[in-house]
Amino acid sequence: MAKLTLAQVEYLSQHLTTQFKDVKYLVSKASLELEMARTNLNDLLINYGQWMDEEGIDHERK
């Protein structure tokens, strides 16, 4: 195996740091998107239930 030069080690270290920052950003973004999706689903279920009530449709689980 060839020996790494100091410049190569520094480059790889910086690249790895950038990759971890990117991953942290993407995980944060995914978490926010998931929370927004959960909120939208909850709103949809509430509105659907209200609509069913207004239409007189029995939607209770037994």
Side-chain angles (χ1 to χ4, degrees), residues 21-36:
K21 286 179 183 178
D22 290 347
V23 167
K24 181 180 175 185
Y25 167 77
L26 291 172
V27 167
S28 255
K29 184 176 178 185
S31 179
L32 291 174
E33 290 292 331
L34 179 59
E35 187 57 38
M36 289 189 321

Side-chain angles (χ1 to χ4, degrees), residues 1-5 8-9 12:
M1 183 168 140
K3 291 184 180 179
L4 293 177
T5 66
Q8 289 170 317
V9 170
L12 291 172

Side-chain angles (χ1 to χ4, degrees), residues 6 13 17 20 22 35 43 46 53 58 62:
L6 185 55
S13 175
T17 298
F20 277 118
D22 290 347
E35 187 57 38
D43 291 346
I46 289 170
D53 288 342
D58 182 22
K62 296 178 184 178

Side-chain angles (χ1 to χ4, degrees), residues 43-59:
D43 291 346
L44 177 64
L45 290 172
I46 289 170
N47 287 319
Y48 180 67
Q50 290 173 346
W51 174 80
M52 290 183 78
D53 288 342
E54 290 171 4
E55 295 295 317
I57 302 170
D58 182 22
H59 59 91

